[in-house]
C-alpha cells in the first residue's frame, strides 16, 4: 500500500529480526540488547516455531536471526528449518567467536540463506569495541570457514567513534576476504551503548558520504549496503528507487525479542506487545506506535519541515535515544530546511 506523498508503505513488514536469545559469550560496548545471560522467559522451541508461522502468514518474507549470540541456542537449526519450510528467507548473524565446522555444516543443511559476521573495524578497534582481545582473528576465521562451506557470507560493521576514520581500510580488507556483502550499520546509543561512542552530526555526514563513495568504488567487486536514512541526501541512485523510504522502523521492518516482545526496530526499544498474549498481525495493525511511525506528518522539528521526509524520515531510533521522543527531529542530520532547493528533486521522484 502507499502512504503520504505516494510513499510506499507495506501493510506488513517485509523483514523481521528475531533476537533469539539474550545469552552471549561477549560483552560488547555497543550492544543494543544488553546481552549477557539467557533470560528465564525466553521463547521455547514450540513458541519460536509458532512465531515463525505467524510472521509467514502475515506476509513477512525475510527473517534475520540475531541475539545475543544465536549460535548458542540449541534449537536454532530446528527453528531455521521450520522458517524455511514456511517460505521465509533466513539469515543468521554471529560474532564469529566460536564457529566450528560441524556448525557450518548444520547451517548449510538447514537451508540458511546467508551468514553474517561482525567486523567492527580492523583488529584494534574491533577488539576494543567487543571487549575481547583476539576476537577479530576469530571472526575472520569464521568468515573463511563459512565461505569454504559454500554459505553466502556477509560482514557487518557498526559505524562508531572507534572505527569511523578507518572505514576505507576496513572495506579494502573485507573486499580481500571475498565476501558477498558489507553492511554498514548506524550506531545508536541504546542498550549498553553510550554517547561516548557516537559521532558528531558533521562526522556522520562525512561517514555517510564516504559509504556512498566506497559503494561506487567497489561496485562489481563488493556489494556495500548502508542502513542510513540520510542516504537520500548523498546517493543519486536511491532517489530513483520508489521503494526507498529511509527509516524502516515500523514500516518495512520490526523485531521480536527473545521473550516474544515486538519492537518497531531492533534499535528502538519501545514494546508494542507480546505475541504470547496477542497475535503478531493484531499487534502490528493496532499499535499506535506503529501508526505513528508510518505517518510522517507526525514528525517534529526540522524533520517535520523537510521536503524529503517521505523518503528519509530521519532515524527514529536515534531520535528516541537522544531525546526520549519517538517523532523528534533526527539530531544527527546536517540538512537544513533552507537548503531544500539542492535536494528538491528527491521529493518528486
Amino acid at each position: 500500500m502507499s502512504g503520504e506523498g505516494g510513499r510506499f508503505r507495506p501493510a506488513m513488514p517485509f523483514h523481521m529480526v528475531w533476537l533469539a536469545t539474550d545469552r552471549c559469550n561477549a560483552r560488547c560496548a555497543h550492544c543494543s540488547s544488553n546481552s549477557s545471560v539467557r533470560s528465564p522467559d525466553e521463547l521455547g522451541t514450540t513458541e519460536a516455531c509458532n512465531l515463525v508461522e505467524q510472521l509467514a502468514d502475515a506476509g513477512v518474507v525475510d527473517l534475520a536471526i540475531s541475539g545475543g549470540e544465536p549460535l548458542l541456542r540449541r534449537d536454532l537449526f530446528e527453528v531455521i528449518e521450520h522458517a524455511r519450510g514456511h517460505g521465509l528467507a533466513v539469515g543468521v548473524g554471529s560474532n564469529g567467536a566460536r564457529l566450528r565446522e560441524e556448525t557450518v555444516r548444520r547451517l548449510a543443511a538447514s537451508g540458511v540463506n546467508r551468514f553474517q559476521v561482525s567486523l567492527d573495524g580492523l583488529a584494534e578497534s574491533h577488539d576494543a569495541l567487543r571487549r575481547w582481545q583476539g576476537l577479530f582473528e576469530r571472526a575472520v576465521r569464521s568468515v573463511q570457514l563459512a565461505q569454504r562451506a559454500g554459505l553466502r557470507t556477509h560482514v557487518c560493521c557498526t559505524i562508531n567513534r572507534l572505527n569511523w576514520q578507518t572505514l576505507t581500510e576496513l572495506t579494502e580488507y573485507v573486499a580481500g576476504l571475498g565476501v558477498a556483502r558489507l553492511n554498514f550499520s548506524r550506531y545508536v546509543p541504546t542498550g549498553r551503548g553510550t554517547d561516548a561512542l557516537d559521532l558528531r552530526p558533521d562526522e556522520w555526514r562525512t561517514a555517510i558520504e564516504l559509504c556512498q563513495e566506497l559503494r561506487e568504488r567497489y561496485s562489481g567487486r563488493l556489494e556495500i549496503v548502508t542502513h542510513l536514512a540520510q542516504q537520500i541526501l548523498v546517493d543519486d541512485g536511491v532517489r530513483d528507487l520508489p521503494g526507498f523510504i529511509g527509516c524502516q522502523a515500523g514500516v518495512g521492518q520490526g523485531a521480536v525479542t527473545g521473550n516474544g516482545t515486538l519492537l518497531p526496530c531492533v534499535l528502538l526499544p519501545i514494546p508494542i506487545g507480546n505475541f504470547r498474549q496477542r497475535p503478531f498481525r493484531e499487534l502490528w495493525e493496532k499499535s499506535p506506535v506503529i501508526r505513528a511511525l508510518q505517518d510522517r506528518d507526525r514528525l517534529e522539528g526540522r524533520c517535520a519541515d523537510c521536503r524529503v521526509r517521505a523518503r528519509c524520515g530521519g532515524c527514529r531510533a536515534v531520535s528516541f535515544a537522544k531525546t526520549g521522543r519517538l517523532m523528534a527531529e533526527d539530531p544527527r542530520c546536517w540538512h537544513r530546511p533552507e537548503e531544500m532547493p539542492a535536494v528538491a528533486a528527491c521529493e518528486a521522484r
Side-chain angles (χ1 to χ4, degrees):
M1 63 184 293
S2 295
E4 118 270 0
R7 179 174 62 91
F8 177 70
R9 189 184 76 199
M12 285 285 139
F14 293 137
H15 172 75
M16 289 292 294
V17 179
W18 176 40
L19 303 172
T21 182
D22 287 328
R23 185 183 174 197
C24 193
N25 47 14
R27 299 293 182 269
C28 303
H30 66 314
C31 182
S32 60
S33 57
N34 201 15
S35 296
S36 176
V37 298
R38 181 180 181 273
S39 298
D41 60 345
E42 185 176 284
L43 296 180
T45 306
T46 300
E47 290 177 310
C49 289
N50 178 252
L51 171 64
V52 162
E53 294 169 12
Q54 289 193 32
L55 296 179
D57 290 344
V60 174
V61 299
D62 187 85
L63 178 65
I65 303 179
S66 184
E69 174 51 55
L71 295 181
L72 296 177
R73 186 168 171 129
R74 294 183 178 180
D75 62 355
L76 176 65
F77 304 104
E78 182 177 344
V79 178
I80 292 173
E81 290 168 1
H82 197 72
R84 294 293 293 130
H86 281 76
L88 290 172
V90 179
V92 174
S94 171
N95 61 28
R98 293 194 172 94
L99 187 65
R100 298 179 175 87
E101 289 190 12
E102 178 186 358
T103 305
V104 169
R105 287 195 297 270
R106 294 188 68 185
L107 282 169
S110 70
V112 71
N113 299 87
R114 62 193 183 277
F115 182 70
Q116 179 168 279
V117 177
S118 295
L119 290 178
D120 294 305
L122 297 173
E124 182 178 358
S125 59
H126 177 84
D127 290 355
L129 188 69
R130 298 273 165 174
R131 296 173 174 171
W132 187 333
Q133 190 67 32
L135 183 55
F136 179 84
E137 293 183 4
R138 288 172 175 261
V140 170
R141 286 198 296 270
S142 292
V143 167
Q144 295 167 334
L145 184 59
Q147 289 176 298
R148 288 198 297 270
L151 287 174
R152 178 180 171 87
T153 309
H154 296 178
V155 164
C156 178
C157 171
T158 299
I159 301 171
N160 66 87
R161 171 65 54 194
L162 299 181
N163 65 24
W164 79 282
Q165 292 181 311
T166 58
L167 296 181
T168 299
E169 293 83 354
L170 174 67
T171 302
E172 181 61 24
Y173 182 85
V174 171
L177 294 175
V179 300
R181 175 185 290 179
L182 170 59
N183 292 318
F184 281 122
S185 296
R186 175 186 294 242
Y187 171 73
V188 177
T190 188
R192 269 201 298 270
T194 68
D195 283 332
L197 287 171
D198 208 351
L199 277 60
R200 300 190 309 267
D202 61 310
E203 293 171 334
W204 274 112
R205 177 175 186 169
T206 298
I208 293 172
E209 290 175 340
L210 175 59
C211 287
Q212 171 57 17
E213 177 187 327
L214 292 171
R215 193 171 77 87
E216 294 177 352
R217 186 188 309 173
Y218 284 85
S219 178
R221 181 182 173 194
L222 172 66
E223 181 184 7
I224 297 177
V225 175
T226 64
H227 306 287
L228 307 168
Q230 282 87 9
Q231 188 179 352
I232 191 72
L233 301 177
V234 301
D235 186 348
D236 291 336
V238 301
R239 296 175 191 172
D240 295 320
L241 297 176
F244 185 87
I245 56 174
C247 181
Q248 293 274 355
V251 185
Q253 71 168 25
V256 179
T257 69
N259 72 356
T261 298
L262 178 63
L263 306 175
C265 168
V266 69
L267 295 171
L268 191 49
I270 301 178
I272 303 303
N274 193 292
F275 102 103
R276 281 171 165 154
Q277 281 76 50
R278 296 168 64 192
F280 166 75
R281 182 188 290 273
E282 181 180 338
L283 288 170
W284 191 268
E285 290 179 337
K286 295 186 176 181
S287 167
V289 172
I290 297 298
R291 287 199 296 271
L293 288 167
Q294 294 177 350
D295 182 2
R296 292 187 176 166
D297 285 339
R298 301 192 191 188
L299 291 171
E300 303 169 5
R302 288 184 294 115
C303 284
D305 298 329
C306 184
R307 289 173 62 183
V308 294
R309 68 174 186 264
R311 304 293 305 280
C312 173
C315 178
R316 296 299 93 215
V318 169
S319 296
F320 185 74
K322 295 283 192 177
T323 71
R325 302 196 315 277
L326 178 63
M327 306 306 288
E329 67 179 47
D330 186 338
R332 286 181 179 167
C333 188
W334 64 87
H335 195 46
R336 294 294 182 272
E338 60 269 21
E339 299 172 356
M340 284 305 139
V343 294
C346 300
E347 184 186 35
R349 295 183 180 181

